[in-house]
PDB file of all heavy atoms in Angstrom:
ATOM      1  N   LYS H 120      -8.792 -17.571  -1.823  1.00 98.00           N
ATOM      2  CA  LYS H 120      -9.414 -18.612  -2.676  1.00 98.00           C
ATOM      3  C   LYS H 120      -9.975 -17.944  -3.978  1.00 98.00           C
ATOM      4  O   LYS H 120     -10.011 -18.621  -5.030  1.00 98.00           O
ATOM      5  CB  LYS H 120     -10.591 -19.305  -1.925  1.00 98.00           C
ATOM      6  CG  LYS H 120     -10.128 -20.339  -0.991  1.00 98.00           C
ATOM      7  CD  LYS H 120     -11.279 -21.077  -0.371  1.00 98.00           C
ATOM      8  CE  LYS H 120     -12.038 -21.995  -1.317  1.00 98.00           C
ATOM      9  NZ  LYS H 120     -11.259 -23.112  -1.827  1.00 98.00           N
ATOM     10  N   ALA H 121     -10.332 -16.685  -3.913  1.00 98.00           N
ATOM     11  CA  ALA H 121     -10.891 -15.961  -5.031  1.00 98.00           C
ATOM     12  C   ALA H 121      -9.735 -15.486  -5.982  1.00 98.00           C
ATOM     13  O   ALA H 121      -9.993 -14.767  -6.951  1.00 98.00           O
ATOM     14  CB  ALA H 121     -11.777 -14.813  -4.632  1.00 98.00           C
ATOM     15  N   GLY H 122      -8.546 -15.760  -5.566  1.00 98.00           N
ATOM     16  CA  GLY H 122      -7.377 -15.456  -6.420  1.00 98.00           C
ATOM     17  C   GLY H 122      -6.898 -13.968  -6.288  1.00 98.00           C
ATOM     18  O   GLY H 122      -6.187 -13.462  -7.206  1.00 98.00           O
ATOM     19  N   ALA H 123      -7.195 -13.311  -5.210  1.00 98.00           N
ATOM     20  CA  ALA H 123      -6.801 -11.915  -5.029  1.00 98.00           C
ATOM     21  C   ALA H 123      -5.289 -11.842  -5.092  1.00 98.00           C
ATOM     22  O   ALA H 123      -4.525 -12.689  -4.596  1.00 98.00           O
ATOM     23  CB  ALA H 123      -7.257 -11.390  -3.647  1.00 98.00           C
ATOM     24  N   THR H 124      -4.795 -10.703  -5.739  1.00 98.00           N
ATOM     25  CA  THR H 124      -3.371 -10.448  -5.841  1.00 98.00           C
ATOM     26  C   THR H 124      -2.885  -9.952  -4.422  1.00 98.00           C
ATOM     27  O   THR H 124      -1.808 -10.305  -3.877  1.00 98.00           O
ATOM     28  CB  THR H 124      -3.049  -9.408  -6.900  1.00 98.00           C
ATOM     29  OG1 THR H 124      -3.805  -9.649  -8.003  1.00 98.00           O
ATOM     30  CG2 THR H 124      -1.528  -9.327  -7.174  1.00 98.00           C
ATOM     31  N   PHE H 125      -3.772  -9.081  -3.849  1.00 99.00           N
ATOM     32  CA  PHE H 125      -3.546  -8.529  -2.563  1.00 99.00           C
ATOM     33  C   PHE H 125      -4.777  -8.633  -1.640  1.00 99.00           C
ATOM     34  O   PHE H 125      -5.858  -8.470  -2.193  1.00 99.00           O
ATOM     35  CB  PHE H 125      -3.168  -7.065  -2.648  1.00 99.00           C
ATOM     36  CG  PHE H 125      -1.998  -6.723  -3.508  1.00 99.00           C
ATOM     37  CD1 PHE H 125      -2.116  -6.174  -4.851  1.00 99.00           C
ATOM     38  CD2 PHE H 125      -0.684  -6.896  -3.058  1.00 99.00           C
ATOM     39  CE1 PHE H 125      -1.054  -5.906  -5.641  1.00 99.00           C
ATOM     40  CE2 PHE H 125       0.433  -6.595  -3.880  1.00 99.00           C
ATOM     41  CZ  PHE H 125       0.253  -6.112  -5.138  1.00 99.00           C
ATOM     42  N   ILE H 126      -4.541  -8.859  -0.372  1.00 99.00           N
ATOM     43  CA  ILE H 126      -5.581  -8.621   0.600  1.00 99.00           C
ATOM     44  C   ILE H 126      -5.186  -7.475   1.518  1.00 99.00           C
ATOM     45  O   ILE H 126      -4.068  -7.431   1.946  1.00 99.00           O
ATOM     46  CB  ILE H 126      -5.844  -9.922   1.479  1.00 99.00           C
ATOM     47  CG1 ILE H 126      -6.957  -9.741   2.514  1.00 99.00           C
ATOM     48  CG2 ILE H 126      -4.553 -10.381   2.232  1.00 99.00           C
ATOM     49  CD1 ILE H 126      -8.303  -9.704   1.871  1.00 99.00           C
ATOM     50  N   SER H 127      -6.159  -6.596   1.771  1.00 99.00           N
ATOM     51  CA  SER H 127      -5.827  -5.378   2.525  1.00 99.00           C
ATOM     52  C   SER H 127      -6.572  -5.407   3.909  1.00 99.00           C
ATOM     53  O   SER H 127      -7.664  -4.997   4.042  1.00 99.00           O
ATOM     54  CB  SER H 127      -6.281  -4.111   1.841  1.00 99.00           C
ATOM     55  OG  SER H 127      -5.469  -3.865   0.767  1.00 99.00           O
ATOM     56  N   PRO H 128      -5.893  -5.990   4.955  1.00 98.00           N
ATOM     57  CA  PRO H 128      -6.407  -5.949   6.291  1.00 98.00           C
ATOM     58  C   PRO H 128      -6.216  -4.495   6.873  1.00 98.00           C
ATOM     59  O   PRO H 128      -5.056  -3.988   6.698  1.00 98.00           O
ATOM     60  CB  PRO H 128      -5.664  -6.944   7.060  1.00 98.00           C
ATOM     61  CG  PRO H 128      -4.597  -7.500   6.116  1.00 98.00           C
ATOM     62  CD  PRO H 128      -4.575  -6.706   4.860  1.00 98.00           C
ATOM     63  N   PHE H 129      -7.160  -3.925   7.479  1.00 98.00           N
ATOM     64  CA  PHE H 129      -7.077  -2.549   7.967  1.00 98.00           C
ATOM     65  C   PHE H 129      -6.708  -2.570   9.510  1.00 98.00           C
ATOM     66  O   PHE H 129      -7.604  -2.650  10.303  1.00 98.00           O
ATOM     67  CB  PHE H 129      -8.445  -1.847   7.823  1.00 98.00           C
ATOM     68  CG  PHE H 129      -8.684  -1.262   6.436  1.00 98.00           C
ATOM     69  CD1 PHE H 129      -8.295  -1.943   5.275  1.00 98.00           C
ATOM     70  CD2 PHE H 129      -9.376  -0.068   6.240  1.00 98.00           C
ATOM     71  CE1 PHE H 129      -8.511  -1.456   4.052  1.00 98.00           C
ATOM     72  CE2 PHE H 129      -9.628   0.470   4.996  1.00 98.00           C
ATOM     73  CZ  PHE H 129      -9.181  -0.199   3.850  1.00 98.00           C
ATOM     74  N   VAL H 130      -5.440  -2.435   9.791  1.00 98.00           N
ATOM     75  CA  VAL H 130      -5.029  -2.536  11.207  1.00 98.00           C
ATOM     76  C   VAL H 130      -5.528  -1.326  12.054  1.00 98.00           C
ATOM     77  O   VAL H 130      -6.019  -1.536  13.177  1.00 98.00           O
ATOM     78  CB  VAL H 130      -3.511  -2.768  11.347  1.00 98.00           C
ATOM     79  CG1 VAL H 130      -3.112  -4.046  10.793  1.00 98.00           C
ATOM     80  CG2 VAL H 130      -2.709  -1.694  10.740  1.00 98.00           C
ATOM     81  N   GLY H 131      -5.351  -0.110  11.545  1.00 98.00           N
ATOM     82  CA  GLY H 131      -5.662   1.081  12.364  1.00 98.00           C
ATOM     83  C   GLY H 131      -7.150   1.110  12.734  1.00 98.00           C
ATOM     84  O   GLY H 131      -7.514   1.463  13.890  1.00 98.00           O
ATOM     85  N   ARG H 132      -8.038   0.753  11.803  1.00 98.00           N
ATOM     86  CA  ARG H 132      -9.479   0.823  12.113  1.00 98.00           C
ATOM     87  C   ARG H 132      -9.884  -0.203  13.215  1.00 98.00           C
ATOM     88  O   ARG H 132     -10.820   0.003  13.959  1.00 98.00           O
ATOM     89  CB  ARG H 132     -10.291   0.654  10.863  1.00 98.00           C
ATOM     90  CG  ARG H 132     -10.131   1.884   9.901  1.00 98.00           C
ATOM     91  CD  ARG H 132     -11.146   1.941   8.819  1.00 98.00           C
ATOM     92  NE  ARG H 132     -10.726   2.787   7.749  1.00 98.00           N
ATOM     93  CZ  ARG H 132     -11.447   3.129   6.726  1.00 98.00           C
ATOM     94  NH1 ARG H 132     -12.624   2.675   6.530  1.00 98.00           N
ATOM     95  NH2 ARG H 132     -10.918   4.006   5.808  1.00 98.00           N
ATOM     96  N   LEU H 133      -9.144  -1.358  13.217  1.00 98.00           N
ATOM     97  CA  LEU H 133      -9.383  -2.354  14.307  1.00 98.00           C
ATOM     98  C   LEU H 133      -8.861  -1.803  15.638  1.00 98.00           C
ATOM     99  O   LEU H 133      -9.532  -1.874  16.624  1.00 98.00           O
ATOM    100  CB  LEU H 133      -8.669  -3.700  13.948  1.00 98.00           C
ATOM    101  CG  LEU H 133      -9.446  -4.508  12.899  1.00 98.00           C
ATOM    102  CD1 LEU H 133      -8.534  -5.661  12.414  1.00 98.00           C
ATOM    103  CD2 LEU H 133     -10.744  -5.058  13.468  1.00 98.00           C
ATOM    104  N   ASP H 134      -7.681  -1.166  15.580  1.00 98.00           N
ATOM    105  CA  ASP H 134      -7.128  -0.553  16.851  1.00 98.00           C
ATOM    106  C   ASP H 134      -8.130   0.514  17.346  1.00 98.00           C
ATOM    107  O   ASP H 134      -8.334   0.649  18.540  1.00 98.00           O
ATOM    108  CB  ASP H 134      -5.825   0.151  16.548  1.00 98.00           C
ATOM    109  CG  ASP H 134      -4.650  -0.860  16.328  1.00 98.00           C
ATOM    110  OD1 ASP H 134      -4.906  -2.054  16.364  1.00 98.00           O
ATOM    111  OD2 ASP H 134      -3.532  -0.404  16.051  1.00 98.00           O
ATOM    112  N   ASP H 135      -8.714   1.268  16.393  1.00 98.00           N
ATOM    113  CA  ASP H 135      -9.625   2.370  16.738  1.00 98.00           C
ATOM    114  C   ASP H 135     -10.859   1.869  17.566  1.00 98.00           C
ATOM    115  O   ASP H 135     -11.428   2.629  18.344  1.00 98.00           O
ATOM    116  CB  ASP H 135     -10.192   2.989  15.449  1.00 98.00           C
ATOM    117  CG  ASP H 135      -9.126   3.877  14.701  1.00 98.00           C
ATOM    118  OD1 ASP H 135      -8.065   4.117  15.359  1.00 98.00           O
ATOM    119  OD2 ASP H 135      -9.372   4.187  13.570  1.00 98.00           O
ATOM    120  N   ILE H 136     -11.221   0.561  17.393  1.00 98.00           N
ATOM    121  CA  ILE H 136     -12.412   0.069  18.143  1.00 98.00           C
ATOM    122  C   ILE H 136     -11.945  -0.817  19.297  1.00 98.00           C
ATOM    123  O   ILE H 136     -12.667  -1.610  19.776  1.00 98.00           O
ATOM    124  CB  ILE H 136     -13.392  -0.620  17.245  1.00 98.00           C
ATOM    125  CG1 ILE H 136     -12.762  -1.847  16.514  1.00 98.00           C
ATOM    126  CG2 ILE H 136     -14.069   0.267  16.200  1.00 98.00           C
ATOM    127  CD1 ILE H 136     -13.841  -2.863  15.993  1.00 98.00           C
ATOM    128  N   GLY H 137     -10.635  -0.650  19.678  1.00 98.00           N
ATOM    129  CA  GLY H 137     -10.181  -1.339  20.824  1.00 98.00           C
ATOM    130  C   GLY H 137      -9.643  -2.761  20.645  1.00 98.00           C
ATOM    131  O   GLY H 137      -9.363  -3.445  21.585  1.00 98.00           O
ATOM    132  N   LEU H 138      -9.541  -3.171  19.364  1.00 98.00           N
ATOM    133  CA  LEU H 138      -8.971  -4.448  19.048  1.00 98.00           C
ATOM    134  C   LEU H 138      -7.485  -4.318  18.726  1.00 98.00           C
ATOM    135  O   LEU H 138      -6.998  -3.175  18.612  1.00 98.00           O
ATOM    136  CB  LEU H 138      -9.749  -5.158  17.975  1.00 98.00           C
ATOM    137  CG  LEU H 138     -11.174  -5.472  18.293  1.00 98.00           C
ATOM    138  CD1 LEU H 138     -11.903  -5.981  17.037  1.00 98.00           C
ATOM    139  CD2 LEU H 138     -11.294  -6.472  19.471  1.00 98.00           C
ATOM    140  N   ASP H 139      -6.755  -5.401  18.475  1.00 98.00           N
ATOM    141  CA  ASP H 139      -5.351  -5.286  18.046  1.00 98.00           C
ATOM    142  C   ASP H 139      -5.294  -5.674  16.589  1.00 98.00           C
ATOM    143  O   ASP H 139      -5.312  -6.912  16.275  1.00 98.00           O
ATOM    144  CB  ASP H 139      -4.418  -6.212  18.974  1.00 98.00           C
ATOM    145  CG  ASP H 139      -2.977  -5.957  18.654  1.00 98.00           C
ATOM    146  OD1 ASP H 139      -2.686  -5.336  17.582  1.00 98.00           O
ATOM    147  OD2 ASP H 139      -2.147  -6.347  19.472  1.00 98.00           O
ATOM    148  N   GLY H 140      -5.167  -4.675  15.723  1.00 98.00           N
ATOM    149  CA  GLY H 140      -5.144  -4.933  14.267  1.00 98.00           C
ATOM    150  C   GLY H 140      -3.998  -5.853  13.902  1.00 98.00           C
ATOM    151  O   GLY H 140      -4.122  -6.611  12.931  1.00 98.00           O
ATOM    152  N   LEU H 141      -2.899  -5.744  14.589  1.00 98.00           N
ATOM    153  CA  LEU H 141      -1.742  -6.649  14.189  1.00 98.00           C
ATOM    154  C   LEU H 141      -1.957  -8.106  14.461  1.00 98.00           C
ATOM    155  O   LEU H 141      -1.381  -8.964  13.811  1.00 98.00           O
ATOM    156  CB  LEU H 141      -0.449  -6.099  14.906  1.00 98.00           C
ATOM    157  CG  LEU H 141      -0.032  -4.776  14.463  1.00 98.00           C
ATOM    158  CD1 LEU H 141       1.000  -4.137  15.462  1.00 98.00           C
ATOM    159  CD2 LEU H 141       0.541  -4.811  13.014  1.00 98.00           C
TER     160      LEU H 141
END
Side-chain angles (χ1 to χ4, degrees):
K120 281 185 69 67
T124 317
F125 302 103
I126 180 71
S127 289
F129 277 39
V130 293
R132 292 193 196 184
L133 283 168
D134 289 359
D135 290 346
I136 59 162
L138 298 173
D139 187 344
L141 291 166

